[in-house]
């Protein structure tokens, strides 16, 4: 995580405008993680009251927090404003109307980034596409919805138009979509007298399996800056600040999930290794057929002679960790390490089947630190009215 943060920070710099890397904290949000992010001076994306609450508990500087989401509730907006959050990435006209009323009521200057649907899709899987024209996220720039939203911001005494935001996909493995996005966003700026900011979103790909070929982070963000400088010059506009907001790439490859192998079962066409977790700690394979690499940590040097399916212990046929992989012959008690589970694993975990969420441990060289304790049965009844 530290190496990745440094690569983003060092690559994403310009002599022509300010730059800021925001961590999209939904990928893995805990107090310990936010403290690490904060220690490198990065900003933060949050998408809910709960994420704001965690950020406040981590004493994250509120002036670098950007509040995202397509349906922030009035209570969440109030909670954000009351706690000093000033940056809002707005999704639709109704949100801008409400924000305008609240900014007046609280007499606070609020900075508004308009989330645009730039109609560019950079995707590896249908379910994680966010940029088709009927997407639930953002507005088409030319739409009435968007033009009215901009007008409301510009005529409000308390709202300040900070700029435009777009997020064009996940697991992006090539530059071209980003470059097209930059051209689009920079093009919109020509209509404005004031110097605005741009946020290019996240989506930097990581390596889950051998077939994934992620772009090197530092070179990629350098190229995003260089291309933006060039596009600005061509169009004759300037910006205040350029932002990106990586989530997955910041934490994904740093995470390894350790399971214990339990029963082993042969069916007519498959051999199953069952593990003591599954969709409750990593729903991605069930949700969108995500793929992973793994090893038997207790038999690292043994030949991988068995073609197996690694399945979880939850009551769903779709509860599979890895559909097909080669591993050494295993026995109950072997430790199975699944790689690159740092993003959208813990943060999407659930207590389905009353499974307990596993512990999270930060490892640095040969030292380690428990940052989330393993759940215990009593945690399951928290909130129940007995
Ligand atoms: C989820 C999300 C991100 C982070 O995406 P990654 O693929 O994890 O880098 C960034 N911006 C927005 C608006 C998002 O919804």
């Amino acid at each position: 995580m530290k190496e990745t943060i440094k690569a983003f920070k060092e690559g994403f710099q310009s002599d022509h405008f300010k730059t800021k890397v925001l961590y999209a904290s939904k990928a893995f949000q805990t107090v310990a993680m936010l403290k690490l992010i904060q220690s490198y001076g990065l900003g933060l994306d949050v998408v809910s009251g709960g994420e704001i609450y965690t950020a406040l508990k981590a004493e994250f500087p509120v002036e670098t927090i950007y509040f995202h989401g397509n349906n922030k509730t009035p209570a969440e907006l109030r909670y954000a404003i009351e706690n000093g959050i000033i940056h809002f990435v707005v999704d639709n006209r109704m949100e801008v109307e409400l924000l305008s009323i609240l900014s007046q009521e609280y007499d606070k200057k609020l900075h508004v980034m308009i989330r645009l649907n730039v109609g560019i899709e950079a995707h590896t899987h249908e379910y994680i596409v966010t940029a088709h024209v009927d997407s639930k996220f953002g507005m088409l720039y030319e739409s009435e919805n968007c033009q009215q939203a901009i007008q409301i911001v510009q005529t409000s005494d308390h709202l300040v138009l900070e700029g435009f935001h777009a997020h064009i996909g996940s697991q992006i493995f090539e530059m071209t979509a980003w470059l097209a996005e930059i051209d689009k966003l920079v093009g919109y700026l020509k209509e404005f007298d004031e110097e605005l900011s741009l946020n290019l979103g996240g989506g930097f790909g990581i390596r889950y399996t051998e077939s994934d070929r992620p772009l090197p982070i530092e070179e990629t963000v350098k190229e995003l800056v260089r291309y933006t400088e060039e596009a600005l010059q061509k169009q004759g506009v300037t910006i205040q600040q350029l932002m990106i907001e990586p989530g997955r790439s910041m934490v994904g490859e740093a995470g390894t999930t350790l399971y214990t192998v339990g029963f082993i079962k042969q069916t007519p066409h498959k051999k199953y290794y069952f593990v003591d977790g599954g969709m409750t700690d990593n729903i991605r394979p069930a949700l969108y057929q995500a793929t992973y690499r793994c090893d038997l940590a207790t038999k690292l040097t043994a030949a991988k002679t068995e073609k197996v399916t690694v399945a979880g212990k939850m009551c769903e046929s779709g509860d599979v960790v890895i559909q097909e992989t080669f591993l050494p012959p295993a026995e109950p008690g072997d430790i199975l390490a699944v790689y690159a589970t740092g993003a959208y694993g813990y943060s999407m975990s659930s207590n389905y089947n009353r499974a307990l969420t596993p512990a999270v441990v930060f490892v640095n060289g040969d030292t380690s630190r428990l940052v989330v304790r393993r759940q215990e049965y009593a945690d399951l009844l928290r909130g129940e009215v007995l």
Side-chain angles (χ1 to χ4, degrees):
M1 291 188 287
K2 289 177 172 176
E3 293 303 315
T4 311
I5 293 169
K6 277 190 230 160
F8 271 114
K9 258 196 98 162
E10 279 161 29
F12 199 63
Q13 292 184 25
S14 170
D15 297 329
H16 300 269
F17 41 76
K18 288 190 284 177
T19 54
K20 189 117 196 135
V21 178
L22 311 169
Y23 170 53
S25 63
K26 69 178 196 267
F28 175 72
Q29 217 221 28
T30 59
V31 169
M33 185 66 203
L34 298 190
K35 294 232 186 242
L36 177 71
I37 290 294
Q38 182 183 334
S39 73
Y40 285 88
L42 270 54
L44 197 68
D45 273 2
V46 295
V47 297
S48 70
E51 287 194 357
I52 294 171
Y53 174 80
T54 312
L56 294 172
K57 287 290 175 191
E59 295 169 342
F60 207 94
V62 284
E63 60 288 354
T64 62
I65 298 179
Y66 283 73
F67 189 11
H68 283 256
N70 64 300
N71 188 28
K72 306 172 185 80
T73 65
E76 285 177 318
L77 287 170
R78 286 180 184 279
Y79 181 58
I81 296 169
E82 284 165 11
N83 284 288
I85 290 177
I86 53 170
H87 298 284
F88 293 81
V89 183
V90 305
D91 174 84
N92 55 68
R93 195 202 67 228
M94 284 181 84
E95 184 184 352
V96 179
E97 284 167 351
L98 178 56
L99 207 55
S100 171
I101 293 166
L102 293 177
S103 65
Q104 237 157 0
E105 183 186 321
Y106 286 94
D107 194 18
K108 289 260 175 75
K109 272 246 177 304
L110 303 179
H111 300 252
V112 174
M113 296 287 289
I114 305 258
R115 179 161 183 176
L116 294 178
N117 176 353
V118 290
I120 293 160
E121 301 179 358
H123 60 94
T124 46
H125 196 287
E126 202 181 357
Y127 292 97
I128 34 186
V129 167
T130 57
H132 51 93
V133 290
D134 293 313
S135 168
K136 80 168 196 174
F137 295 113
M139 293 173 271
L140 296 166
Y141 181 79
E142 299 80 8
S143 67
E144 203 181 329
N145 195 13
C146 182
Q147 290 304 316
Q148 286 174 354
I150 294 171
Q151 205 172 17
I152 294 165
V153 178
Q154 286 182 321
T155 52
S156 152
D157 342 314
H158 288 80
L159 299 183
V160 183
L161 183 63
E162 180 175 349
F164 295 104
H165 167 279
H167 173 68
I168 58 169
S170 290
Q171 273 296 77
I172 301 175
F173 288 133
E174 45 149 290
M175 295 297 299
T176 49
W178 270 311
L179 305 186
E181 178 199 14
I182 292 169
D183 284 332
K184 277 250 170 150
L185 288 174
V186 170
Y188 298 141
L189 296 178
K190 283 196 294 191
E191 296 176 25
F192 296 85
D193 299 329
E194 63 267 48
E195 200 175 55
L196 300 176
S197 295
L198 293 179
N199 184 332
L200 304 177
F204 302 85
I206 69 165
R207 185 165 175 270
Y208 285 107
T209 64
E210 289 80 357
S211 60
D212 294 331
R213 300 260 179 273
L215 296 161
I217 287 169
E218 193 166 337
E219 287 78 356
T220 303
V221 297
K222 269 188 184 152
E223 176 60 10
L224 292 180
V225 170
R226 192 204 62 76
Y227 192 84
T228 304
E229 289 171 352
E230 192 183 292
L232 289 168
Q233 202 183 10
K234 264 194 219 152
Q235 306 268 5
V237 282
T238 55
I239 55 170
Q240 272 192 30
Q241 181 159 264
L242 186 68
M243 288 170 270
I244 47 172
E245 45 186 20
R248 183 191 317 273
S249 51
M250 213 72 107
V251 289
E253 290 189 48
T256 301
T257 302
L258 299 179
Y259 296 103
T260 301
V261 176
F263 298 135
I264 293 160
K265 181 161 86 178
Q266 180 72 56
T267 63
H269 307 292
K270 277 187 173 188
K271 182 169 199 171
Y272 284 102
Y273 287 2
F274 294 144
V275 295
D276 59 343
M279 61 185 282
T280 48
D281 54 83
N282 186 358
I283 200 172
R284 295 187 68 258
L287 192 60
Y288 31 64
Q289 293 81 52
T291 52
Y292 288 91
R293 280 182 310 127
C294 68
D295 274 313
L296 276 184
T298 35
K299 297 192 165 72
L300 264 182
T301 54
K304 296 184 170 182
T305 52
E306 308 294 301
K307 185 163 114 180
V308 302
T309 297
V310 178
K313 71 195 296 293
M314 311 310 155
C315 302
E316 283 286 339
S317 299
D319 177 30
V320 165
V321 179
I322 299 177
Q323 252 333 319
E324 189 178 297
T325 187
F326 284 88
L327 285 171
E331 306 159 283
D334 273 330
I335 303 294
L336 182 91
V338 179
Y339 302 112
T341 56
Y344 305 110
Y346 175 78
S347 67
M348 285 187 164
S349 65
S350 77
N351 288 125
Y352 177 55
N353 285 185
R354 297 245 139 171
L356 301 176
T357 305
V360 180
V361 180
F362 276 8
V363 179
N364 186 11
D366 53 11
T367 64
S368 66
R369 177 162 68 97
L370 182 69
V371 300
V372 181
R373 70 160 170 78
R374 187 188 308 279
Q375 277 188 336
E376 48 195 53
Y377 288 141
D379 292 321
L380 298 172
L381 297 198
R382 237 193 121 198
E384 283 198 27
V385 181
L386 300 174

